[in-house]
Amino acid sequence: MNFKETCDKLEGLITDSYQNGVTLGQAETLAGRFLEAQLIVNPELTRLDLDARMRKTGVKAIRATIYLSEKNAIPKPTEGMLTALIEANPDLRNEQDALDKVESERDELKRLMDVYNNAHVHFRTICRGGFGG
């Protein structure tokens, strides 16, 4: 089962639990399952975080290179002109787009990690009789 299928299955378990309820035994199993889910998400989150950091460094380097190149190519350029030239550069745009995509994916995984953590706590609370009922 791939990562997406695993996440879809976990989402189904959450939906099923509130639609059909869970026994104490099921809640204990689900608490463990969502703890395991956090272990599954963590390496992917780490990979995306590193990718985002590296891409951010790349964007800064491209900006600096373009800035120096344009500043030396144009006599007395204004900062506004340099900024416009930098932002219009297709290489920078492509790298910025890639960074934005990776950051978005990373943020989505952070939210997913939060959901799995909350699901773990929720089912663990049921196991301990926290809902009284």
Side-chain angles (χ1 to χ4, degrees):
M1 188 174 335
N2 69 29
F3 184 76
K4 171 113 174 66
E5 290 169 341
T6 300
C7 293
D8 290 344
K9 184 170 181 156
L10 291 166
E11 182 180 333
L13 292 173
I14 292 172
T15 302
D16 187 57
S17 75
Y18 72 77
Q19 287 179 343
N20 301 316
V22 293
T23 65
L24 291 179
Q26 289 170 324
E28 188 173 328
T29 299
L30 288 168
R33 187 78 186 264
F34 283 98
L35 189 59
E36 178 186 36
Q38 292 175 63
L39 293 171
I40 292 169
V41 171
N42 193 55
E44 187 66 14
L45 187 55
T46 300
R47 183 190 68 76
L48 286 173
D49 190 48
L50 180 60
D51 191 8
R53 289 171 190 241
M54 292 172 66
R55 287 184 183 279
K56 188 175 279 190
T57 300
V59 167
K60 287 179 183 179
I62 291 171
R63 278 185 196 282
T65 301
I66 296 167
Y67 179 89
L68 291 174
S69 174
E70 295 296 343
K71 185 169 178 152
N72 292 331
I74 302 170
K76 297 184 182 181
T78 65
E79 285 301 314
M81 181 188 302
L82 288 172
T83 299
L85 289 168
I86 291 168
E87 295 302 321
N89 185 284
D91 292 334
L92 177 64
R93 265 305 352 122
N94 290 337
E95 192 58 29
Q96 183 66 52
D97 289 347
L99 170 60
D100 292 344
K101 183 178 182 213
V102 169
E103 286 181 333
S104 177
E105 290 173 9
R106 181 197 59 200
D107 292 346
E108 182 180 348
L109 277 187
K110 284 180 179 179
R111 288 186 297 274
L112 191 60
M113 184 70 95
D114 288 342
V115 168
Y116 292 165
N117 182 56
N118 288 326
H120 168 75
V121 170
H122 170 72
F123 291 117
R124 186 61 66 207
T125 302
I126 292 172
C127 293
R128 294 186 178 136
F131 292 109

